């Protein structure tokens, strides 16, 4: 029997919201808070705030890695970014925040990993997938770039085998005259599926497919048809997980209301190949609004370890 760990942040105007939070579930539908709904890890370096998490279990040694956008709106929007999202996009951090663990409860101190070079704007919303063919990890994220005067953002990627050395960034996907963010890639039956947020053209999450993890990716119309009733411009940050029965749960981050009213909305599909997701709010429950994160499949032993752990140090070492 498997369980699930949701790594996420909270939408708050205070610095404690932009830290590392854990949620747990036995079935993927009913979620519970960890550490009384308080952060389990804190960011002390870079912007001193983190958002947009991804987590992965390494194939080789089972080690866990959390990566996140190095950005604090609580501190930075009022300070070095002068209230401007455009300034964040151009001059935000070229680093990602990272933590490592062997058991999901004892974590390393935060470190910063330089991903973008001098041509990149802010490095946003990392996610990771394992490339079976080349036996390496593909780290992908969204950024603006000097090549188009930091205009429409695209999805870039870098390769690593050890989470210490990362290859030079490459373009993974660029929309046609579109601004795209929040990529999330999954494999099903040897094909790859990428959820991504179209900010300019469709102003909604779209689904793409490819034969190879690095593309080329093509849009799936079936997903667009199944989500056409969703209001445009209020959903982003897709993340998905495959349940024990083979179905997929997709979560879209709703930001159509301020503050605590924001959070994930669930959808269920029999397969990624079908592209047909059904909204399923009544089947799910959350203790509060989870914001932009990633779900990791864990064992019941790991579930109990996280749930029973004393997190009272709140990440202090």
């Amino acid at each position: 029997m498997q369980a699930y760990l949701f790594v996420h942040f909270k939408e708050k105007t205070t610095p404690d919201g932009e830290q590392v939070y854990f949620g747990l579930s036995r079935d993927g539908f009913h979620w519970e808070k960890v550490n009384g709904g308080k952060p389990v890890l804190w960011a002390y370096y870079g912007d001193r705030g983190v958002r947009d998490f991804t987590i992965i279990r390494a194939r080789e040694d089972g080690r866990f890695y959390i990566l996140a956008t190095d950005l604090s709106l609580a501190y930075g929007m009022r300070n070095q970014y002068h209230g401007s999202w455009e300034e964040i996009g151009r001059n935000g951090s070229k680093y990602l925040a990272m933590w490592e663990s062997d058991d999901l409860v004892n974590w390393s101190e935060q470190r910063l990993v330089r991903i973008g070079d001098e041509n990149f704007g802010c490095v946003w919303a990392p996610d990771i997938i394992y490339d079976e063919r080349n036996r390496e990890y593909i780290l992908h994220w969204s950024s603006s770039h000097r090549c188009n005067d930091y205009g429409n953002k695209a999805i870039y990627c870098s390769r690593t085998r050890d989470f210490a050395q990362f290859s030079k960034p490459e373009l993974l996907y660029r929309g046609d005259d579109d601004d795209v963010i929040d990529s999330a890639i999954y494999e099903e039956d040897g094909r790859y599926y990428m959820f991504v947020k179209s900010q300019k053209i469709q102003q909604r999450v779209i689904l793409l497919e490819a034969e190879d993890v690095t593309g080329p990716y093509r849009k799936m119309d079936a997903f667009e048809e199944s989500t056409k009733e969703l209001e445009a411009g209020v959903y982003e940050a897709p993340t998905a997980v495959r349940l024990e029965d083979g179905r997929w749960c997709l979560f879209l981050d709703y930001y159509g209301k301020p503050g605590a009213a924001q959070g994930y909305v669930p959808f269920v599909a029999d397969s990624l190949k079908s592209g047909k997701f059904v909204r399923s709010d009544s089947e799910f429950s959350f203790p509060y609004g989870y914001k932009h994160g990633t779900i990791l499949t864990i064992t019941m032993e790991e579930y109990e370890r996280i749930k029973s752990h004393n997190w009272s140090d709140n990440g202090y070492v």
Side-chain angles (χ1 to χ4, degrees):
M1 184 177 179
Q2 64 188 32
Y4 308 89
L5 169 64
F6 209 141
V7 183
H8 64 92
F9 75 101
K10 286 185 178 181
E11 191 66 57
K12 300 178 69 176
T13 58
T14 51
D16 60 310
E18 295 168 306
Q19 306 299 337
V20 186
Y21 290 79
F22 282 178
L24 285 173
S25 175
R26 290 176 175 267
D27 59 8
F29 290 82
H30 304 93
W31 293 88
E32 55 193 285
K33 55 191 175 183
V34 173
N35 193 30
K38 300 186 292 293
V40 298
L41 296 168
W42 285 76
Y44 300 116
Y45 305 107
D47 269 21
R48 293 179 297 153
V50 280
R51 306 165 65 92
D52 318 334
F53 298 97
T54 189
I55 182 171
I56 193 167
R57 185 197 306 260
R59 296 289 185 94
E60 297 78 14
D61 57 8
R63 192 165 177 80
F64 301 94
Y65 297 88
I66 293 174
L67 290 98
T69 305
D70 172 35
L71 174 64
S72 170
L73 299 184
Y75 290 127
M77 187 61 89
R78 297 164 171 79
N79 187 15
Q80 70 264 37
Y81 301 126
H82 309 107
S84 170
W85 282 103
E86 182 179 357
E87 188 164 343
I88 294 174
R90 283 178 174 263
N91 301 317
S93 178
K94 312 296 189 292
Y95 292 81
L96 294 175
M98 180 188 289
W99 290 263
E100 305 175 31
S101 174
D102 289 320
D103 59 8
L104 292 171
V105 296
N106 296 291
W107 290 88
S108 67
E109 188 174 11
Q110 175 203 11
R111 66 183 173 97
L112 296 174
V113 180
R114 176 86 183 219
I115 296 297
D117 60 30
E118 67 278 1
N119 294 308
F120 282 82
C122 185
V123 175
W124 301 90
D127 204 1
I128 308 168
I129 186 169
Y130 186 69
D131 181 357
E132 297 277 1
R133 182 177 303 173
N134 296 302
R135 296 185 179 181
E136 58 189 1
Y137 301 90
I138 305 295
L139 171 68
H140 51 99
W141 69 91
S142 56
S143 283
S144 58
H145 198 273
R146 183 175 291 175
C147 68
N148 62 353
D149 193 29
Y150 302 98
N152 291 339
K153 289 180 283 297
I155 307 301
Y156 294 87
C157 68
S158 178
R159 301 171 183 271
T160 185
R161 285 191 166 95
D162 57 9
F163 292 90
Q165 301 296 321
F166 293 85
S167 67
K168 183 178 180 180
E170 306 169 49
L171 180 66
L172 178 62
Y173 175 77
R174 184 184 298 279
D176 295 332
D177 194 32
D178 203 355
D179 185 69
V180 292
I181 63 170
D182 295 353
S183 56
I185 304 176
Y186 305 92
E187 183 272 334
E188 180 187 69
D189 298 332
R191 294 186 66 82
Y192 294 89
Y193 298 85
M194 180 197 292
F195 295 95
V196 68
K197 167 69 180 299
S198 162
Q199 294 206 110
K200 186 175 179 181
I201 302 300
Q202 294 175 285
Q203 299 181 31
R204 61 177 65 241
V205 173
I206 60 175
L207 178 58
L208 313 163
E209 65 173 335
E211 295 179 2
D212 188 83
V213 65
T214 54
Y217 282 90
R218 298 168 294 277
K219 190 172 73 168
M220 293 181 63
D221 294 333
F223 180 77
E224 185 174 346
E225 177 66 22
S226 70
T227 58
K228 66 181 180 180
E229 300 301 324
L230 294 180
E231 181 183 356
V234 292
Y235 293 94
E236 61 185 5
T239 191
V241 65
R242 196 168 199 174
L243 300 176
E244 210 158 9
D245 63 9
R247 289 183 299 165
W248 286 86
C249 285
L250 168 68
F251 298 88
L252 300 183
D253 193 341
Y254 174 71
Y255 59 98
K257 293 183 179 179
Q262 303 186 40
Y264 272 107
V265 176
F267 301 77
V268 176
D270 290 334
S271 68
L272 295 178
K273 181 181 179 180
S274 73
K276 297 178 180 179
F277 282 81
V278 177
R279 186 162 178 166
S280 307
D281 301 59
S282 62
E283 299 181 55
F284 290 77
S285 59
F286 294 89
Y288 50 79
Y290 293 10
K291 294 295 294 181
H292 199 152
T294 298
I295 302 170
L296 178 72
T297 300
I298 60 175
T299 66
M300 287 305 301
E301 180 184 3
E302 290 165 341
Y303 167 92
E304 295 294 346
R305 185 188 308 150
I306 295 168
K307 185 173 182 177
S308 63
H309 183 69
N310 180 4
W311 297 94
S312 60
D313 63 355
N314 285 331
Y316 288 98
V317 292

